[in-house]
């Protein structure tokens, strides 16, 4: 009887080790390459995504006719911020790589200043609009914009209006 138990235990161990070893080999294999026929993300794609986000924001807020009248400056400020983010990304990608860490930091500072200005313009454009919203409507804005109430202020690069820059 003892030899059967030893045989069963040895067999189970061998199967388990074989499974782990085979799984390790499979895990070590490189992942299949992504399809190469996928089209690149284009400016037209970015414009379509922005249009969808703006339409979704208006839908989430369920604007009244009076609030609709205050919407155009808000939308224009968001479009301007996104346009600036795209321009900064294109400039960064076409520029030679920074030569020193100070060049990197100077680039970060310039981008932060530009995002700060765009964000300030958005805030100014949005004030009359946000004042017209009900408390329920105002509660929907932070989550939609990606600003979470976790006690920390978001970095401008975390806001979707600047994601085209990254």
């Amino acid at each position: 009887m003892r030899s059967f138990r030893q045989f069963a235990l040895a067999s189970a161990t061998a199967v388990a080790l074989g499974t782990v070893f085979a799984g390790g080999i499979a895990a070590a294999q490189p992942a299949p390459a992504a399809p190469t026929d996928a089209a690149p993300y284009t400016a037209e794609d970015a414009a379509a995504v922005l249009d969808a986000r703006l339409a979704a924001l208006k839908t989430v807020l369920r604007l009244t006719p009076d609030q609709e009248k205050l919407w155009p400056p808000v939308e224009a400020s968001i479009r301007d911020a996104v346009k600036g983010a795209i321009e900064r990304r294109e400039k960064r990608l076409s520029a030679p790589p920074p030569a020193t860490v100070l060049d990197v930091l100077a680039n970060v500072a310039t981008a932060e200043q530009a995002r700060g200005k765009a964000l300030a313009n958005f805030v100014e454009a949005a004030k009359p609009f946000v004042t017209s919203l009900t408390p329920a409507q105002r509660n929907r804005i932070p989550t939609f914009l990606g600003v979470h109430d976790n006690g920390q202020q978001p970095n401008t690069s975390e806001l979707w209006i600047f994601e085209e820059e990254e």
Side-chain angles (χ1 to χ4, degrees):
M1 205 56 154
R2 187 177 265 237
S3 64
F4 178 73
R5 283 186 190 164
Q6 288 175 338
F7 175 77
L9 181 60
S11 296
T13 302
V15 168
L17 287 173
T19 302
V20 169
F21 183 72
I25 291 174
Q29 298 296 320
T36 57
D37 60 344
Y41 187 75
T42 66
E44 187 176 333
D45 296 332
V49 168
L50 178 58
D51 289 346
R53 281 183 167 155
L54 291 169
L57 179 56
K58 286 177 70 175
T59 301
V60 164
L61 293 175
R62 296 184 175 163
L63 302 179
T64 66
D66 287 339
Q67 292 167 336
E68 281 279 351
K69 295 174 188 171
L70 299 171
W71 175 253
V74 175
E75 181 173 334
S77 69
I78 291 172
R79 288 186 183 281
D80 287 345
V82 171
K83 180 182 176 197
I86 291 169
E87 289 169 355
R88 287 187 299 278
R89 181 194 67 220
E90 290 172 355
K91 182 178 177 185
R92 185 184 74 243
L93 293 175
S94 66
T100 69
V101 69
L102 291 179
D103 293 338
V104 171
L105 294 174
N107 291 343
V108 170
T110 299
E112 284 297 319
Q113 288 172 339
R115 286 193 294 261
K117 184 177 178 185
L119 191 55
N121 289 342
F122 165 75
V123 168
E124 283 305 309
K127 280 180 181 178
F129 174 75
V130 171
T131 301
S132 76
L133 299 177
T134 67
Q137 289 172 310
R138 273 186 243 128
N139 285 338
R140 296 177 200 143
I141 294 173
T143 300
F144 190 86
L145 292 178
V147 179
H148 304 289
D149 188 17
N150 59 6
Q152 296 179 0
Q153 292 185 5
N155 183 318
T156 56
S157 64
E158 296 170 357
L159 300 173
W160 64 259
I161 61 175
F162 300 115
E163 77 182 6
E164 292 295 336
E165 187 169 351
E166 299 310 315

